[in-house]
Amino acid sequence: MSLQTSPQPADVTTAPPPFLDVRDLRVHFPTEDGLVRSVDGVSFTLEKGQTLGIVGESGSGKSVTSLALLGLHKGTRAQVSGEIWLDGRELVGLPEQEMRALRGSTVSMIFQDPLSALHPFFTVGAQIAEAYRVHHRVSKKEARDRAVEMLRRVGIPQPELRVKDYPHQFSGGMRQRAMIAMSLVCDPALLIADEPTTALDVTVQAQILDLIRDLQEEFGSAVVIITHDLGVVADVADDILVMYGGRRVEYGTARDVLKQPEHPYTWGLLQSMPQIEGDVSRRLNPIPGSPPSLINLPGGCAFHPRCTYKGWVPEGRCTVERPELLAVSGTAGHIAACHLTAESKTQIRGDGAARAAK
Amino acid sequence: MLRYLVRRLLAAAVILLVITVITFFIFFALPSNPALLACGKTCSPSRLAEIRHSLGLDQGIATQFWEFFKGLFVGRDYGDQSVRIHCGAPCLGVSFQTDTPVLTTLLDDFPADLSLGLGAAVAFVVLGVGLGTVAAVRRGKAADKAAVGLALVGVSVQIYFVGLLLLYLLVDKLQILPASGYTPITEDPAGWFQGLILPWATLVIVYLAMYTRLTRSSMLEVFSEDYMRTARAKGLPAGTVVLKHGLRAAITPIITIFGMDVGALIGGSAVITESVFGINGIGKLAVDSVQNSDLPVILGTTLFAATFVVLANVVVDLVYGLVDPRVRLA
């Protein structure tokens, strides 16, 4: 494997294979308007006990990637190619029956909006117990006890009473806790959290992130957190993958990506976040324009129509030549796809810092 | 829950009262003279006045309504000393034509409508929901197109056409079935069943269409819900996802329509089916009474049908509460 397609350090051949190894994943949807390339050649790896944050705007392919990990594109019109290796098993070609056995037990998912993701007509307890009973031969009573136990673990007071409640009787934060309880009921080895805090208010967000982190330590799961909020990944992720238009634009350890972001899109995401120490009167700096069409991605670098710095690259290369993912010198596995030279980036970052200080 | 039920029943009573009043006054607004009809062709003015008096038509409208309304609760006596007809509570009046209490006639005819309506309703809801579910699961495939096509045919044809066609083919030509009609189940269960096969089939063909389409669209809507994705993400088998999680949520709009259809059907709205297959039901009674300007029977059948529709709605509301916990009210 070349460096362009894999962020692995060079000695990957001697190390045991990673727990989760996604290679060149592509998810395409044929539509009447053309082929929608929601995910187009995404690769990443993840070890047990580690957390990967996948970051990007709406339509960048984050959620479609996560559904592919669960094999939820099977039986739909989506065309999935590439490889997903989980603990030595390849999931893309796995028959639906075998994939079903993994869903919820080995791989499970926390969805974005717990109110719509929980069934309104069944009690919270019944839904958690059901998730347990699919994969374990236990009586209804045992499954129910397990549901109570899980609700207690995610910090719901009086779980033996609340287990009989319906989702609409829970508050937003409690619903997300219940959702987490449901996804963890079978001790999954891989937990995917798709924007787990987006529908919650800020104070509850921190609690939920803490909860996911605590439970990860307890269960030793690998966690993929999908979000558009770099603040969330800064909090919990070990590695960060930045996606744009269904492709990777930057990938590396959280430290590298946050301390020395290499891609103008990552800069944009960072600048569009409010900062707690920042000047109150400082306006947020959104990325201009909107996410690209996934049917007709802009030529060259997909980000070029929105990029402030394409003028720094000579001869308009950004509009014609797609930048390759290249290793950032002096780092282990930090890669980014941008034509800007290291010197230009240093200069731009310096300017940005100077502006921010003003 | 009890308070909710009581409130609903009170509302139902008000609706029925309004329907009674409206029907009663509409009848008086119509240019018809029941006394003249009852009197026959050779009618002397004195005989006409006599009949008007015995029918109570010589009193004011308000008085007549009050007499009728009172009769609903305490019963009523008709006629004079020579001919006395007692009509026990709840008295819906006595037919101008036959001199029998309306309620007696209604109750005589009711088993036919109950058998016809209930039997057909069970069949078309089961088949319709089943077909609609299959169509939704196999969206865009051959099974879906077949179900939708079938539904289109069913919704386009008319009862008198399907009914007569079935009669011609199965009874006349092939002679698979005996002539249809209504035999009380208490007399001859087999005959009851055989006689109702064709009327049921006719109603099923006509109603099936709507239930198939309704189920299909409701299911497709539910399939796009997040909780369906959650159900699959749990690793549930496809059948459980569709039937337990999907159908449970998709069934609510179907319950509403079904409740009203059942109420209307057993209340006598299957007039055409009744007349095509020669079943003497409430629908036929209602049509006859309108032709004869038989006010008590018109009132009686209208009220009777309305009662069933209104009660069916109360039942629907209660079932709603059972299906959807968010509807359960304090």
Side-chain angles (χ1 to χ4, degrees):
Chain A
M1 252 185 300
S2 68
L3 209 52
Q4 278 91 333
T5 56
S6 167
Q8 286 301 302
D11 61 351
V12 68
T13 43
T14 54
F19 174 67
L20 173 68
D21 190 358
V22 176
R23 295 179 194 163
D24 196 28
L25 181 69
R26 283 163 207 272
V27 186
H28 296 173
F29 298 89
T31 67
E32 282 183 8
D33 299 326
L35 191 64
V36 178
R37 296 181 171 87
S38 291
V39 179
D40 207 25
V42 165
S43 308
F44 57 85
T45 61
L46 183 61
E47 293 297 346
K48 273 199 157 181
Q50 297 278 301
T51 301
L52 168 73
I54 302 183
V55 191
E57 287 165 293
S58 322
S60 60
K62 306 164 301 196
S63 293
V64 176
T65 305
S66 65
L67 293 179
L69 294 178
L70 271 172
L72 282 179
H73 293 302
K74 287 178 203 288
T76 70
R77 294 158 59 126
Q79 301 162 352
V80 184
S81 63
E83 295 162 49
I84 299 172
W85 290 89
L86 180 74
D87 211 6
R89 281 176 95 174
E90 207 287 304
L91 303 187
V92 172
L94 210 61
E96 168 65 16
Q97 271 309 312
E98 287 172 53
M99 190 66 228
R100 186 172 77 69
L102 292 181
R103 258 182 232 138
S105 63
T106 310
V107 192
S108 80
M109 186 142 175
I110 301 169
F111 289 101
Q112 177 174 358
D113 180 359
L115 182 59
S116 59
L118 290 169
H119 201 298
F121 296 178
F122 298 106
T123 63
V124 169
Q127 296 189 54
I128 299 175
E130 184 184 40
Y132 192 62
R133 288 193 81 200
V134 192
H135 301 290
H136 298 83
R137 292 182 148 271
V138 293
S139 70
K140 280 195 170 160
K141 172 88 176 58
E142 285 170 275
R144 193 167 186 84
D145 291 346
R146 172 85 183 168
V148 173
E149 168 61 23
M150 288 309 297
L151 285 179
R152 178 175 294 118
R153 266 165 123 164
V154 297
I156 287 185
Q158 295 185 293
E160 51 292 306
L161 291 179
R162 300 314 297 262
V163 78
K164 291 180 210 133
D165 278 354
Y166 289 90
H168 70 275
Q169 293 166 304
F170 274 36
S171 69
M174 294 222 302
R175 256 179 240 139
Q176 193 56 289
R177 285 169 191 269
M179 186 85 221
I180 292 171
M182 189 165 86
S183 56
L184 290 177
V185 73
C186 294
D187 297 337
L190 172 63
L191 179 67
I192 303 156
D194 187 359
E195 311 233 5
T197 58
T198 305
L200 306 174
D201 51 70
V202 189
T203 47
V204 183
Q205 281 186 11
Q207 293 174 14
I208 294 293
L209 290 177
D210 281 346
L211 176 67
I212 293 177
R213 196 165 34 203
D214 290 349
L215 293 168
Q216 177 183 23
E217 273 170 28
E218 196 178 326
F219 292 96
S221 317
V223 175
V224 176
I225 285 199
I226 289 162
T227 179
H228 58 261
D229 185 350
L230 270 171
V232 168
V233 288
D235 217 13
V236 295
D238 300 296
D239 291 334
I240 293 177
L241 169 65
V242 183
M243 285 181 72
Y244 188 79
R247 299 198 185 113
R248 299 186 295 175
V249 294
E250 183 160 5
Y251 180 32
T253 62
R255 251 191 71 150
D256 286 344
V257 173
L258 293 173
K259 276 208 130 179
Q260 200 191 339
E262 287 288 320
H263 197 283
Y265 180 56
T266 319
W267 301 342
L269 287 176
L270 283 166
Q271 277 172 12
S272 59
M273 273 187 353
Q275 275 157 356
I276 199 143
E277 286 98 6
D279 187 353
V280 190
S281 61
R282 192 181 78 100
R283 285 173 166 272
L284 290 181
N285 201 353
I287 304 173
S290 48
S293 151
L294 294 170
I295 297 176
N296 288 310
L297 270 187
C301 172
F303 186 60
H304 83 258
R306 302 170 70 189
C307 185
T308 326
Y309 304 103
K310 58 176 177 283
W312 292 63
V313 178
E315 295 154 31
R317 268 175 80 202
C318 294
T319 57
V320 289
E321 189 188 330
R322 194 164 123 199
E324 289 182 351
L325 279 160
L326 294 174
V328 178
S329 59
T331 60
H334 184 186
I335 53 175
C338 183
H339 287 312
L340 286 170
T341 58
E343 295 76 50
S344 308
K345 286 178 189 166
T346 315
Q347 199 181 337
I348 293 165
R349 275 196 293 261
D351 288 356
R355 220 182 18 247
K358 252 186 265 175
Chain B
M1 198 69 184
L2 189 71
R3 259 185 57 193
Y4 175 69
L5 181 63
V6 168
R7 224 165 45 214
R8 290 304 322 228
L9 286 174
L10 280 177
V14 171
I15 292 170
L16 287 177
L17 178 66
V18 170
I19 291 172
T20 314
V21 173
I22 291 174
T23 322
F24 201 89
F25 288 99
I26 281 180
F27 180 82
F28 275 95
L30 289 176
S32 73
N33 190 343
L36 199 60
L37 281 169
C39 190
K41 275 185 180 158
T42 55
C43 189
S44 67
S46 62
R47 173 85 188 116
L48 188 64
E50 216 172 275
I51 292 174
R52 275 177 65 84
H53 178 71
S54 74
L55 294 180
L57 291 171
D58 52 348
Q59 291 163 309
I61 297 176
T63 322
Q64 286 188 48
F65 182 75
W66 173 244
E67 287 292 324
F68 171 79
F69 191 69
K70 204 170 73 181
L72 282 176
F73 300 96
V74 294
R76 203 175 159 185
D77 286 309
Y78 284 89
D80 38 33
Q81 284 77 9
S82 54
V83 242
R84 258 189 107 79
I85 305 163
H86 177 71
C87 172
C91 176
L92 290 172
V94 170
S95 164
F96 290 166
Q97 298 286 315
T98 61
D99 286 349
T100 45
V102 176
L103 193 64
T104 316
T105 322
L106 281 173
L107 291 180
D108 280 347
D109 286 349
F110 182 56
D113 288 277
L114 191 64
S115 309
L116 180 63
L118 220 50
V122 169
F124 66 63
V125 79
V126 169
L127 287 172
V129 169
L131 265 181
T133 307
V134 170
V137 172
R138 306 235 152 255
R139 183 188 191 175
K141 307 245 172 72
D144 177 25
K145 285 176 181 146
V148 171
L150 203 72
L152 196 66
V153 172
V155 94
S156 318
V157 295
Q158 298 295 326
I159 294 178
Y160 42 80
F161 175 72
V162 186
L164 293 175
L165 191 71
L166 287 179
L167 270 178
Y168 175 70
L169 285 178
L170 299 177
V171 180
D172 254 27
K173 276 279 164 196
L174 302 171
Q175 304 199 331
I176 300 172
L177 290 168
S180 59
Y182 178 71
T183 324
I185 191 169
T186 42
E187 277 175 28
D188 176 11
W192 170 83
F193 187 78
Q194 282 188 332
L196 283 171
I197 289 178
L198 283 184
W200 282 336
T202 307
L203 284 176
V204 166
I205 288 173
V206 173
Y207 278 85
L208 184 64
M210 196 181 57
Y211 284 85
T212 305
R213 300 209 90 152
L214 191 64
T215 309
R216 180 179 179 273
S217 65
S218 182
M219 271 298 226
L220 286 176
E221 202 174 301
V222 167
F223 283 168
S224 65
E225 293 282 350
D226 285 354
Y227 54 77
M228 294 298 284
R229 191 181 55 191
T230 310
R232 289 182 64 211
K234 282 179 183 180
L236 292 172
T240 314
V241 175
V242 170
L243 295 179
K244 185 175 168 190
H245 290 246
L247 198 55
R248 172 79 185 262
I251 204 86
T252 37
I254 300 163
I255 291 174
T256 314
I257 305 288
F258 184 65
M260 286 198 276
D261 276 348
V262 172
L265 273 178
I266 62 181
S269 79
V271 186
I272 302 173
T273 314
E274 282 176 23
S275 55
V276 167
F277 294 101
I279 296 169
N280 285 325
I282 291 167
K284 190 170 173 299
L285 186 67
V287 173
D288 291 348
S289 68
V290 172
Q291 277 167 352
N292 299 331
S293 296
D294 197 345
L295 170 66
V297 182
I298 297 178
L299 260 181
T301 47
T302 310
L303 253 185
F304 196 74
T307 308
F308 276 100
V309 174
V310 168
L311 278 183
N313 270 307
V314 174
V315 173
V316 162
D317 284 341
L318 292 179
V319 173
Y320 241 89
L322 293 180
V323 172
D324 187 344
R326 291 170 299 184
V327 183
R328 277 172 216 169
L329 302 165

